[in-house]
Amino acid sequence: MKKNIGIIYGGYSSEIIISEKSKDGILTFIDEEQFNRYPILITKEKWCAIVDNEECIIDKNDFSFQLNEEKINIDCAYITIHGTPGENGLLQGYLDMLDIPHSTCSVEAAAITFNKFTCNTYLKGFGVAVADSVLLRKGHSYNAPDIIKQLNLPCFVKPNAGGSSFGISKVKEGKDLVPAIEKAFTESNEVIIEQFIGGTEVTCGLYKTIKEEVLLPLTEVVSKNEFFDFEAKYTASKVEEITPARIEDKVRDRIQSISSLIYNILGCKGIVRIDYIISESKIFLLEVNTTPGMTTTSFIPQQIAASGRNIKSVFTDIINDVMN
């Protein structure tokens, strides 16, 4: 009998538009001959399964819904919400309480990785190189000249909890720092300001099951914009994505080794993507993505294709692993 897989998308942040695209990708990646696939939209206004363009309200008591007078229980949730509540542990906690298996990491790991400053500071204690940074909280005072003195210019200003490059600015002149901070605060209650590190940007996808560890080929990211911003991420003409990355084998192996270590330290589960900058032969962590984008042109599908693996087989392995 086929298991029911809920593909959870939507969310409460600006990333909802990317989440919907990821849902569309995952619908094609999950083998319909082995699983029943149900897109489930979660927003602040409603929770509903979308079946034949009809909305079926989710019963939050057990995460079920009614379809043609039949109660549909979800056997496994594949979370593809980028941002809250699917990337920061809130949804994971809810599903754990209902004893519903899901595709991503634990509450603790999700909470840590969603907070860029906390995650990078934590991993720094294990010897992972990260950029110097400053954390600001909404409503707290800060001194812009002191920040510039500490980090130098240019620097990056980012929402501390968010993704898809919403609210990010590269600041080159002192007069632009405060407006950039205000922009980032529109996406998050915390803002992280990071030292600029020039170099080659790469990203590493990986997953682990009971049976195996899979380290996917790295992708090199060459943005035609000032940096890998929202436009570059989602406009093909604005970025060149090269898989496998044009780096030495020993550097590739080192990045994959660091990625495997980070996966274990954080207690990750399912497919994870970890981003880096290679600068003067030194490898700096940018961020850990526990619910990476899954559009048909996203990094992970590219890397799976480059590895020679069948993407439906990959998703089948991951789903079966989390249900066992």
Side-chain angles (χ1 to χ4, degrees):
M1 186 173 179
K2 289 184 181 180
K3 297 291 187 181
N4 297 326
I5 311 301
I7 303 169
I8 307 179
Y9 71 105
Y12 304 162
S13 73
S14 300
E15 293 186 86
I16 187 171
I17 58 174
I18 309 306
S19 179
E20 183 164 359
K21 294 178 184 295
S22 288
K23 173 264 298 179
D24 292 340
I26 291 171
L27 275 171
T28 69
F29 303 153
I30 294 178
D31 191 346
E32 63 182 323
E33 294 185 2
Q34 297 190 55
F35 305 105
N36 296 317
R37 306 160 305 160
Y38 295 106
I40 297 176
L41 173 64
I42 290 181
T43 69
K44 288 182 177 179
E45 292 74 32
K46 60 187 175 183
W47 290 31
C48 58
I50 311 295
V51 183
D52 296 328
N53 295 319
E54 295 292 329
E55 295 185 355
C56 304
I57 301 303
I58 293 292
D59 183 347
K60 295 180 183 179
N61 291 301
D62 60 3
F63 204 58
S64 67
F65 62 94
Q66 294 288 326
L67 179 62
N68 299 326
E69 299 184 355
E70 177 187 359
K71 181 177 180 179
I72 304 296
N73 292 301
I74 298 300
D75 297 302
C76 178
Y78 200 102
I79 301 172
T80 190
I81 290 177
H82 311 307
T84 186
E87 199 171 2
N88 58 356
L90 297 180
L91 186 56
Q92 287 84 347
Y94 164 78
L95 293 170
D96 287 347
M97 290 176 68
L98 296 177
D99 201 25
I100 297 175
H102 54 84
S103 60
T104 58
C105 53
S106 67
V107 173
E108 179 184 32
I112 290 172
T113 54
F114 190 63
N115 187 304
K116 296 180 179 69
F117 184 83
T118 296
C119 185
N120 287 8
T121 302
Y122 177 62
L123 292 173
K124 185 178 180 180
F126 290 89
V128 177
V130 299
D132 289 339
S133 61
V134 170
L135 180 69
L136 304 179
R137 292 187 171 92
K138 185 175 286 187
H140 292 215
S141 62
Y142 61 88
N143 186 296
D146 284 350
I147 294 171
I148 293 170
K149 184 177 180 180
Q150 179 178 341
L151 300 179
N152 296 318
L153 294 176
C155 65
F156 280 106
V157 180
K158 309 175 182 180
N160 191 41
S164 297
S165 294
F166 285 108
I168 293 183
S169 303
K170 182 179 180 180
V171 175
K172 298 180 182 179
E173 299 182 29
K175 66 180 177 62
D176 297 326
L177 180 58
V178 172
I181 291 170
E182 292 174 350
K183 176 183 175 182
F185 271 133
T186 65
E187 295 289 336
S188 173
N189 288 328
E190 293 183 338
V191 167
I192 183 172
I193 306 171
E194 289 183 332
Q195 166 196 29
F196 170 75
I197 298 173
T200 301
E201 183 170 350
V202 297
T203 185
C204 176
L206 70 156
Y207 64 93
K208 301 186 183 188
T209 66
I210 295 173
K211 296 188 301 181
E212 62 179 340
E213 172 186 69
V214 178
L215 297 162
L216 297 170
L218 273 61
T219 299
E220 179 182 350
V221 183
V222 183
S223 175
K224 296 179 182 179
N225 288 1
E226 182 70 27
F227 62 97
F228 194 41
D229 58 9
F230 180 85
E231 182 186 41
K233 282 186 176 181
Y234 302 106
T235 307
S237 63
K238 296 294 184 178
V239 66
E240 188 177 5
E241 299 170 358
I242 303 160
T243 309
R246 302 169 299 182
I247 57 177
E248 296 180 16
D249 289 353
K250 64 179 182 180
V251 178
R252 175 205 63 205
D253 294 346
R254 179 62 180 152
I255 289 173
Q256 290 181 326
S257 177
I258 294 170
S259 299
S260 179
L261 176 66
I262 289 172
Y263 193 104
N264 290 342
I265 289 171
L266 295 172
C268 294
K269 189 171 69 174
I271 301 178
V272 168
R273 199 192 80 232
I274 306 179
D275 303 337
Y276 301 91
I277 285 283
I278 306 167
S279 180
E280 298 178 356
S281 299
K282 190 170 184 180
I283 300 162
F284 291 88
L285 169 69
L286 291 178
E287 65 177 290
V288 180
N289 302 277
T290 57
T291 58
M294 286 293 174
T295 71
T296 53
T297 58
S298 292
F299 292 125
I300 294 296
Q302 288 182 50
Q303 293 174 0
I304 290 172
S307 74
R309 293 174 178 265
N310 178 283
I311 197 163
K312 287 190 175 181
S313 296
V314 168
F315 274 71
T316 295
D317 288 346
I318 289 170
I319 289 169
N320 286 333
D321 185 70
V322 301
M323 287 196 296
N324 294 328

